[in-house]
């Protein structure tokens, strides 16, 4: 009977452990015109897309303290900067927002690097 409890406890611990997944980190700052344009053109749709499901958007203000799990990711003063991060490691980076015509293709290229 003890082994059943041990197995159940192990299962609960595995299910409650945080899962590191890919995320698209957007470094931004207040007053950034290109960030605002991204917010209008892309941000509302992002979580509904395959790209957004594969790498949820995480926003980081470059003037705030950088979260502990991102301290190894270089922060630039140019905003927006999009960094694809997987398991705490930078996979790809896009400096600036090229507009909705080009953004999705570039993001697809970035995400393809997750499979390599």
């Amino acid at each position: 009977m003890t082994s059943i409890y041990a197995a159940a406890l192990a299962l609960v611990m595995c299910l409650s452990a945080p899962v590191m997944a890919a995320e698209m980190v957007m470094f931004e700052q207040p007053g950034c015109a290109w960030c605002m344009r991204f917010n209008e053109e892309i941000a509302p749709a992002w979580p509904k897309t395959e790209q957004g499901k594969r790498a949820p958007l995480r926003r980081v203000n470059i003037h705030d303290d950088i979260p502990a799990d991102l301290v190894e990711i270089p922060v630039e003063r140019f905003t927006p900067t999009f960094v694809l991060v997987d398991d705490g490691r930078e996979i790809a980076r896009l400096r600036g927002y090229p507009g909705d015509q080009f953004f999705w293709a570039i993001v697809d290229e970035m995400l393809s690097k997750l499979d390599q």
Side-chain angles (χ1 to χ4, degrees):
M1 202 62 139
T2 306
S3 62
I4 293 174
Y5 291 122
L9 180 60
L11 178 63
V12 169
M13 290 176 66
C14 286
L15 293 176
S16 64
V19 176
M20 295 295 285
E23 60 185 356
M24 185 67 73
V25 178
M26 176 183 174
F27 290 104
E28 61 184 344
Q29 64 182 318
C32 166
W34 289 102
C35 299
M36 288 185 260
R37 188 165 166 196
F38 170 85
N39 289 336
E40 293 169 5
E41 296 176 353
I42 303 293
W46 184 265
K48 302 170 193 163
T49 65
E50 287 304 313
Q51 295 91 335
K53 291 174 184 161
R54 190 157 184 210
L57 185 65
R58 179 179 179 187
R59 296 167 179 272
V60 176
N61 184 325
I62 64 169
H63 299 295
D64 292 343
D65 291 336
I66 301 303
D69 62 322
L70 297 177
V71 295
E72 299 298 321
I73 307 297
V75 178
E76 299 181 31
R77 296 296 163 214
F78 186 84
T79 58
T81 294
F82 299 90
V83 181
L84 180 61
V85 176
D86 187 33
D87 203 18
R89 165 178 78 86
E90 180 173 334
I91 304 299
R93 178 176 293 249
L94 168 61
R95 291 170 182 90
Y97 172 62
D100 60 344
Q101 296 288 326
F102 298 102
F103 183 78
W104 294 109
I106 296 168
V107 166
D108 285 342
E109 185 178 314
M110 293 169 72
L111 289 169
S112 74
K113 295 179 181 181
L114 287 172
D115 301 324
Q116 297 175 358

